[in-house]
Amino acid sequence: MKKHAYIFFSFLCITVLFVSSCSNDDTAIPEDPEVINNPVEHDLTEEQLRIVDYFKEVALGFEFGSASRVTRKWKSQMKIFVDGDPSPALKTELDNIISEINALTTDGFKIQIVDSFDQSNYHLFFGTGTAYASIYPDQRDFVENNWGLFYLLWNSSNELTSGHMYVDTRRANDMAQKHLLREELTQSLGLARDSKKYPESIFQSDWTTTNQYAQIDKELIQLLYHSDMATGLNRFDVDPILIQLLKEE
């Protein structure tokens, strides 16, 4: 079965006074003009329409590369091997993030930490970009200017099958490390695109240090990891499912 892989990252620029987030493309992601402007019947509130809009912006495709704009998610358990030099605070933060995600999923998907690389399907590395690139040489060109990134593989059914990520524990301060951990791990669920819409969201494309999920972030995780949400759905296929799930809330 053919596998596909793409690399995604938080691209950070260092200035004399501060660290800010920069995109490879300085233009904002355009508003979605076709959100619910199709024949699908709906009776959603304005807030629910915003959730549909945000889901289609964040959960379809990836920020970089040419992968199709469809839903992708894990159908198997995500088994994380933690490697490198995480601080006790980062280990605690990871446990908290996993607990939050596991509490939001209802399709049987769960994240667990395993004891060895051989048991895992996801490698989470804490350390320098150089050390990470020594394990994954294809990332060498990206780590110099990036304090966090993730990499995913999926099968022909658009089911995520494995991946890896890193958080730079040398250049990023404690707060930034926690933010990068939450952002990259959450995007590794298949919510892989950034947006400028909600400053409080973990998917905000501008650099922030938010270390918690906004309510709309929780909604997106719940929708993607609902048993009625399939993989391989494009922007039109996903509308009736999103509408039905939101009506049932």
Side-chain angles (χ1 to χ4, degrees):
M1 186 173 291
K2 184 178 180 181
K3 293 186 176 181
H4 309 264
Y6 277 87
I7 182 173
F8 312 95
F9 49 85
S10 295
F11 189 84
L12 304 184
C13 295
I14 304 173
T15 71
V16 173
L17 298 177
F18 60 93
V19 177
S20 63
S21 160
C22 304
S23 169
N24 272 5
D25 183 347
D26 290 333
T27 58
I29 298 171
E31 295 291 327
D32 189 343
E34 301 180 38
V35 172
I36 310 301
N37 290 333
N38 60 44
V40 176
E41 291 294 327
H42 70 84
D43 188 19
L44 301 182
T45 66
E46 288 187 10
E47 177 60 27
Q48 288 172 325
L49 288 173
R50 284 193 288 269
I51 293 169
V52 171
D53 179 19
Y54 204 46
F55 183 95
K56 293 165 74 172
E57 185 170 336
V58 170
L60 304 183
F62 297 96
E63 195 71 25
F64 305 100
S66 58
S68 56
R69 293 286 305 273
V70 298
T71 52
R72 294 180 177 87
K73 67 177 186 176
W74 295 80
K75 289 296 188 73
S76 60
Q77 304 300 298
M78 187 184 205
K79 299 178 181 180
I80 298 176
F81 173 61
V82 180
D83 200 2
D85 58 357
S87 65
L90 274 177
K91 289 180 179 180
T92 298
E93 186 70 8
L94 176 60
D95 289 340
N96 291 340
I97 295 168
I98 290 173
S99 294
E100 291 175 49
I101 292 172
N102 286 346
L104 293 169
T105 62
T106 57
D107 63 351
F109 169 79
K110 298 295 178 187
I111 302 175
Q112 64 183 99
I113 295 175
V114 296
D115 296 328
S116 71
F117 181 84
D118 290 342
Q119 294 175 310
S120 72
N121 54 19
Y122 193 89
H123 186 192
L124 198 170
F125 183 82
F126 295 99
T128 66
T130 301
Y132 177 66
S134 70
I135 303 170
Y136 300 104
D138 289 346
Q139 316 314 314
R140 187 172 292 112
D141 293 339
F142 301 102
V143 295
E144 180 178 352
N145 294 315
N146 296 287
W147 294 1
L149 60 82
F150 68 98
Y151 182 98
L152 294 170
L153 293 100
W154 61 91
N155 61 25
S156 59
S157 299
N158 289 297
E159 298 170 359
L160 301 175
T161 56
S162 62
H164 52 82
M165 64 167 278
Y166 105 105
V167 172
D168 195 310
T169 57
R170 297 294 186 272
R171 293 178 292 179
N173 64 28
D174 291 346
M175 184 176 293
Q177 290 173 31
K178 290 181 179 180
H179 169 79
L180 290 165
L181 173 59
R182 183 177 291 264
E183 179 184 4
E184 307 302 329
L185 184 57
T186 306
Q187 293 197 299
S188 294
L189 298 177
L191 299 165
R193 293 180 63 86
D194 294 330
S195 170
K196 287 185 175 291
K197 284 184 179 169
Y198 301 102
E200 71 278 12
S201 172
I202 198 66
F203 308 112
Q204 170 57 230
S205 57
D206 291 329
W207 174 247
T208 73
T209 55
T210 181
N211 286 321
Q212 60 185 358
Y213 291 129
Q215 181 57 39
I216 199 165
D217 299 338
K218 296 177 183 179
E219 295 278 359
L220 265 57
I221 295 170
Q222 289 176 315
L223 288 168
L224 184 60
Y225 283 89
H226 190 284
S227 58
D228 290 340
M229 182 61 66
T231 57
L233 303 179
N234 64 28
R235 56 184 293 105
F236 301 108
D237 300 330
V238 81
D239 267 343
I241 298 172
L242 291 172
I243 291 167
Q244 186 60 41
L245 291 179
L246 288 167
K247 281 183 174 182
E248 292 173 355
E249 287 187 346

